[in-house]
Amino acid sequence: MTSAAPAETILKSSHLLGIEQLSVPEITALLDLAETYVALNRGADKKTATLRGRTLINLFFEASTRTQSSFELAGKRLGADVMNMSVKTSSVSKGETLIDTATTLNAMRPDLLVVRHQDSGAAELLSRKLDCCVINAGDGSHEHPTQALLDALTIRRRRGAFQGLVVAICGDVLHSRVARSNIHLLLKMGARVRLIAPRTLLPADADRFGVEIFHDMKKGLQGVDIVMMLRLQLERMSGAFVPSTREYFHFYGLDHEKLKLAKPGAFVMHPGPMNRGVEIDSAVADDIEVSLIQEQVEMGVAIRMAVLDALSRGLAKEGRNAP
Ligand code: CP
């Protein structure tokens, strides 16, 4: 089947580097386009020819299950040729730099490059050096734009609108690119954002984000519509940010008892992967009455299809890498 999406340009930029640069109409248009892909993905025939002839490269310098596999599926369902670069067995292991790796791949004329890297700003750097569209799949603690977009799609499908919603983002905000992208997106769309975290897991400038800050989870959860839990990123911690994971769960782990403080009918989200029993109790994570975690994963494929579709429209308009 052919794409049901309208062909008008959605994004002003040729790249998706962060939510900070997106306007409300651009975010809304991406969510609307993603809705068409939710419907497509729920059907028997999930393929379109929207990206036929295009080449997508996934270049992940950090581990990923959800983001990499959903970009791969998204590209394939849109008809692109998809190559997953295995960084571990590539010449990166011989010391080749990010720029040299990316420019080498660029010479093979991909149309879209999805990159995840441990350094904040890596995707932006590549966007200035390469001819293809660059999509940030997570750069250090900076941004993870497609995660925020899929979270927004999940929330909009459940709540209809963002205006007036109260969303609590809880846990390791300091190391979280997911939190940064979600703060940008939710505030732009008119939601109220609360950050709930110990002082050691909040960025020093968090009071300038335009959010409410709580260190007591029981106070912070009162009256919230959405509880967005964050993974405790132990791999990014060089010192002791929390006394112990057991104590962390006692004060900041979400269980049914703490969830009762939120608004009746409040939903729980988590970008994954989860540390069960550390930031979230399995009984909450697996409770299909409240947990949207699997729905977030489903929306991830649709959002990534929408992003690839939107960026490829820009390529066609500019005549760059025209098939
Ligand atoms: N949420 C997220 O980015 O998950 P992965 O690390 O599995 O891609």
Side-chain angles (χ1 to χ4, degrees), residues 70-320:
S70 59
F71 266 116
E72 181 178 356
L73 272 182
K76 287 179 173 170
R77 287 182 183 175
L78 292 170
D81 292 316
V82 181
M83 196 266 273
N84 289 311
M85 181 76 194
S86 171
V87 169
K88 269 198 188 132
T89 56
S90 74
S91 290
V92 170
S93 63
K94 300 175 200 161
E96 191 162 36
T97 64
L98 167 67
I99 291 290
D100 284 345
T101 303
T103 50
T104 299
L105 294 173
N106 188 54
M108 299 176 196
R109 295 181 63 83
D111 301 287
L112 301 131
L113 179 81
V114 179
V115 63
R116 171 173 286 188
H117 196 273
Q118 59 277 12
D119 294 339
S120 299
E124 202 267 336
L125 178 66
L126 294 188
S127 75
R128 286 190 269 119
K129 304 270 182 196
L130 309 185
D131 303 319
C132 60
C133 301
V134 174
I135 301 162
N136 182 4
D139 61 329
S141 56
H142 175 230
E143 281 231 34
H144 189 352
T146 57
Q147 179 70 45
L149 288 164
L150 76 87
D151 290 341
L153 183 61
T154 308
I155 294 171
R156 196 179 75 165
R157 289 173 68 84
R158 289 294 187 144
R159 288 286 184 245
F162 298 95
Q163 202 67 40
L165 275 187
V166 185
V167 181
I169 302 178
C170 313
D172 186 359
V173 180
L174 180 65
H175 300 101
S176 179
R177 52 199 178 206
V178 173
R180 281 171 200 275
S181 289
N182 266 305
I183 292 166
H184 285 307
L185 190 148
L186 291 164
L187 293 179
K188 277 177 201 267
M189 301 305 280
R192 282 172 53 198
V193 177
R194 294 183 186 174
L195 299 183
I196 304 176
R199 282 184 174 78
T200 51
L201 292 179
L202 275 176
D205 57 348
D207 56 349
R208 281 182 261 149
F209 291 176
V211 300
E212 296 166 81
I213 293 173
F214 293 82
H215 302 298
D216 181 337
M217 192 174 190
K218 289 183 175 169
K219 285 190 183 145
L221 285 178
Q222 284 171 20
V224 306
D225 297 279
I226 304 282
V227 187
M228 201 177 267
M229 298 306 300
L230 297 173
R231 184 171 67 87
L232 197 59
Q233 298 194 33
L234 296 163
E235 78 279 13
R236 294 191 204 273
M237 297 181 190
S238 46
F241 284 77
V242 293
S244 70
T245 51
R246 201 179 149 142
E247 190 171 326
Y248 183 80
F249 181 75
H250 177 71
F251 289 107
Y252 293 101
L254 186 68
D255 55 17
H256 271 299
E257 201 183 314
K258 292 198 192 87
L259 185 59
K260 277 188 204 145
L261 298 165
K263 202 179 265 183
F267 287 115
V268 175
M269 302 174 73
H270 192 302
M274 287 180 276
N275 294 311
R276 289 170 181 267
V278 177
E279 70 264 358
I280 191 163
D281 187 14
S282 282
V284 173
D286 300 333
D287 181 349
I288 57 168
E289 296 298 317
V290 298
S291 171
L292 302 182
I293 295 168
Q294 294 310 315
E295 206 167 307
Q296 288 173 268
V297 177
E298 181 188 359
M299 294 309 128
V301 181
I303 273 294
R304 284 156 186 143
M305 290 172 85
V307 166
L308 296 176
D309 181 349
L311 288 172
S312 74
R313 292 178 195 192
L315 280 175
K317 202 172 169 210
E318 290 169 27
R320 280 199 302 152

Side-chain angles (χ1 to χ4, degrees), residues 3-16 21-37 50 78 149 156 302-318:
S3 170
E8 78 266 17
T9 306
I10 287 177
L11 297 173
K12 285 194 283 290
S13 173
S14 321
H15 311 285
L16 179 66
Q21 299 88 346
L22 294 184
S23 65
V24 171
E26 286 177 307
I27 293 168
T28 305
L30 281 173
L31 299 184
D32 292 345
L33 182 57
E35 282 293 354
T36 68
Y37 289 119
T50 310
L78 292 170
L149 288 164
R156 196 179 75 165
I303 273 294
R304 284 156 186 143
M305 290 172 85
V307 166
L308 296 176
D309 181 349
L311 288 172
S312 74
R313 292 178 195 192
L315 280 175
K317 202 172 169 210
E318 290 169 27

